[in-house]
Amino acid sequence: PLDEYDDCWLRYDRVGDDAPRESYRRRCLHAYVSTGAPELAAVRDELRRGIGGILGREPHLWQHPPRSVDGFLAVGTPEEMEVVADSVDTDAVAELADGGFHLRATEWEGSPVLVVTAPTDRGLVYGTFALLRRLALGRPIDDLDRFEEPATPDRVIDHWDNPFRRSVERGYAGPSLIDVGELPALRDRYEEYARLLSSVGINGVVLNNVNTEIPSRPSANAAMDAFAGWQLLATDRLDDLAPLASVFRRYGVRLYLSVNFGAPETLGGLDTADPTDPAVEEWWAEKADEVYERIPDFGGFLVKADSEGQPGPYDYGADHVDGANVLARALAPHSGRVWWRAFVYGSHADRAVQQYETFAPLDGAFHDAVTLQVKNGPIDFQPREPVSPVFGQLPETDLGLELQITGEYTGQHVHACYHVPMWKEVLEFDTDPEGVGGGEGDGDGTRVKDLLRGPGSGIAGVGAPGEDPSWTGHYLAQANLYGFGRLAWDPDLSTEAITDEWTGQTFGTGPTVAEPVTDVLHESWPAVIDYTTGGLGLLHMMYNGEARLENHYDPAPEEWPGYTGASADGIGVDRNARGNGYAQQYPEAIAARYDDPETCPEELLLFFHHLAWDRELADGRTVVQTLYDNCFRGVARAERLRERWRDLDGRIDDRRFRHVAERLEEQVLQARRWRDSLVDFFYDHSGIPDEDCRVPRT
Ligand code: GCU
């Protein structure tokens, strides 16, 4: 264990009297764990730490079923362990998807036994973490009979780390965790990190930034240190990566690399990277062979092409199918995948319309080993956006949902902002409310989460962790990493269930602690939406300059007029039939709902419509008055976060209490700044004062 790093939700604090400690002791203080695979060593280590913490005594580990004791824990596959085969429905276990597991409390030769089993060793790791989570939360185990499997096969964290420089694009937790030159020395840290990921079911890590800038082609994000990641594909670098891959493998986590589309030229010395050129095809195939020789379970390549200055198939007169498929053909023989990002933009006045226009015509043409990775919204990780119209409308394409774990536009880990409710909103969005697509959903159409279940689909989260001892820069931002993994594993989980789990494991289960933490988390996103956008669907009111710390952080509503549409007559953007037709990209029922300001959900109103400042909304208030009120409400909410957190004084450790308290203090100040900047902006354009005389500000 690394003393200086926080244990996050793997604290394994001693459980209190309200937990069924007696049955925990009986069933867990002796453990018979099968041996062999590297994953099983991880299971044993975790049991020592977990049970050792929760019960105050490490379990005794056996090489055979202990007959002399009054109960034990058995961890293994049915093939390897007779006691397991005797205790479970082996057919049902065999049918579980990769990563799935079964927990069962039963009796064996007259004594209580708790079984953790799975068809694969990876599943045993997840099952062990799931059991320890139950114990840490003080939940009963005597009637356990639970089958779990991941909803989607690939649950990947995308690091935007710039290797060699150790900087992290949009990272707010210090330097990169990954130091490619220093693998052996950092083994412990990688192991701690892999534990965190694995404990929530994340099974893949993209090590480097999607902006893998090449020297001859500085990207639009040059100021972000986007740098040199492409070099990781060089043969000697791949040699360096192999040991890192084996650390992660113990925890069921596979490595991926983000690659530059121009690599055949920059790295391979070819005179083109044209995906239709046979020499390029061969180069990628050989490169893939090289990677798999060193890392047999390598996950695949992530590609950002033709976007923000990155090279791509358009440079060669080819299209995104040509581009993705040449990589897919290289990886498919090794069971690897290409994650091809749909975040392609540059040619359109309003970015919102571009993705669907680019990718809808390509539906059905991608190779089976391609996953199209689509951001949740059509713009860019704003505090709130509509769900991208790509979801549900490319039935022949495997989709990966891309979410942002890091808080780029939500306060950059200075502000608390819990993303789980936002992600739930996305996952539950019904892409086919009329059920015309024949839906795989629950009868009323196909929700985003239903689109992610099949083979080839997945979820990617743009990472947050860095070298800061808290891993995420803000202790409360750990909840986003936790929630991302849990939702990727099971998108049916409710926000409340995830909050309970995280809070219970991180701060404790008693109501005097859990309730304030929960209140703070649950009110944080609504607060951020209110004061950074005014709550009616406006976006991109953040500063977009080059000074790193302020970029996408500080208020600058005047900066991108195209995004707010503010003028003397009104505010908002006509992304509707009267305007650029973005709303019409959705299936008819959704398009109709968004296209009419009367039926468009209020929280997205100005995203879809340019409306007069004095237009009345459903409750009789005008647009501008509602914007004012929401900005003030945002500050009130931020103040409530701060007050509510104070209730924890003396009830949690001082370090975490003070760290969060100080940040919430700053959040209140920043919220006021945001409010003032936005209300001035609304007033300057509308000339309409606030009914409550708060604006104009004197
Ligand atoms: C955002 C972010 C960039 C990043 C881009 C992407 O625009 O600000 O830093 O490069 O997303 O997703 O590729």
Side-chain angles (χ1 to χ4, degrees), residues 15-154:
V15 286
D17 290 339
D18 41 352
R21 278 192 301 210
E22 202 30 56
S23 50
Y24 291 3
R25 280 195 204 104
R26 196 173 336 116
R27 293 188 190 268
C28 303
L29 279 180
H30 294 271
Y32 165 40
V33 181
S34 66
T35 46
E39 287 91 340
L40 291 159
V43 165
R44 281 192 301 277
D45 287 352
E46 203 60 34
L47 288 174
R48 278 195 207 98
R49 287 173 75 162
I51 309 277
I54 291 166
L55 293 178
R57 218 172 92 196
E58 287 192 4
H60 188 92
L61 296 174
W62 297 78
Q63 307 276 355
H64 53 77
R67 289 196 159 79
S68 57
V69 300
D70 176 30
F72 64 95
L73 176 66
V75 187
T77 60
E79 290 75 42
E80 277 166 310
M81 279 172 54
E82 206 181 310
V83 47
V84 171
D86 289 351
S87 306
V88 300
D89 173 348
T90 50
D91 292 337
V93 171
E95 274 165 29
L96 285 166
D98 185 18
F101 59 84
H102 176 43
L103 306 180
R104 177 147 208 261
T106 180
E107 290 211 340
W108 187 75
E109 295 189 354
S111 60
V113 59
L114 186 57
V115 172
V116 177
T117 189
T120 62
D121 295 321
R122 233 192 310 272
L124 298 175
V125 179
Y126 295 135
T128 300
F129 277 117
L131 173 66
L132 291 172
R133 179 186 311 134
R134 275 196 92 80
L135 303 185
L137 292 170
R139 293 184 180 163
I141 54 166
D142 283 336
D143 297 320
L144 257 183
D145 189 5
R146 194 175 168 76
F147 286 89
E148 272 201 46
E149 58 187 2
T152 193
D154 291 312

Side-chain angles (χ1 to χ4, degrees), residues 624-663:
V624 67
Q625 189 59 41
T626 308
L627 289 169
Y628 289 147
D629 290 349
N630 290 351
C631 289
F632 281 92
R633 182 178 64 185
V635 173
R637 283 179 154 154
E639 287 166 352
R640 259 204 311 276
L641 303 182
R642 183 184 60 181
E643 303 321 314
R644 195 65 175 117
W645 187 260
R646 285 184 184 150
D647 292 340
L648 292 166
D649 197 358
R651 296 189 196 158
I652 63 171
D653 56 287
D654 214 39
R655 189 161 77 120
R656 289 184 299 164
F657 172 76
R658 293 214 342 242
H659 164 102
V660 176
E662 278 159 20
R663 275 169 199 246

Side-chain angles (χ1 to χ4, degrees), residues 383-454:
R384 180 182 252 136
E385 288 184 44
V387 168
S388 166
V390 168
F391 290 105
Q393 299 202 84
L394 273 68
E396 305 301 324
T397 304
D398 291 328
L399 295 181
L401 167 65
E402 179 180 299
L403 301 169
Q404 201 176 39
I405 305 170
T406 190
E408 176 181 357
Y409 293 99
T410 55
Q412 304 193 348
H413 302 198
V414 175
H415 303 218
C417 186
Y418 187 40
H419 292 178
V420 170
M422 165 168 37
W423 298 335
K424 271 306 271 183
E425 194 171 285
V426 173
L427 290 162
E428 297 295 339
F429 180 75
D430 192 342
T431 64
D432 180 22
E434 290 181 323
V436 287
E440 300 160 27
D442 48 13
D444 59 340
T446 304
R447 294 171 190 273
V448 170
K449 66 183 182 187
D450 303 319
L451 296 165
L452 307 175
R453 295 191 198 268

Side-chain angles (χ1 to χ4, degrees), residues 160 169-170 172 209-211 219 221 224 304 307-308 310 341 343 345 351 375 379-381 402 404 408-409 462 540 544 551-552:
W160 283 358
E169 177 160 326
R170 313 304 179 187
Y172 311 106
N209 195 347
V210 286
N211 293 310
S219 77
N221 289 302
M224 294 289 114
K304 170 171 174 171
S307 179
E308 301 189 316
Q310 296 291 319
R341 293 182 84 224
F343 186 67
Y345 84 96
R351 195 194 292 188
K375 287 192 186 191
I379 303 277
D380 189 14
F381 300 136
E402 179 180 299
Q404 201 176 39
E408 176 181 357
Y409 293 99
V462 177
H540 253 312
N544 191 42
N551 196 27
H552 295 178

Side-chain angles (χ1 to χ4, degrees), residues 672-693:
R672 290 184 187 142
R673 257 182 89 219
W674 266 94
R675 172 200 63 201
D676 292 347
S677 167
L678 263 55
V679 299
D680 286 351
F681 172 75
F682 299 139
Y683 177 72
D684 288 346
H685 286 276
S686 67
I688 301 173
D690 169 37
E691 283 164 11
D692 292 339
C693 304

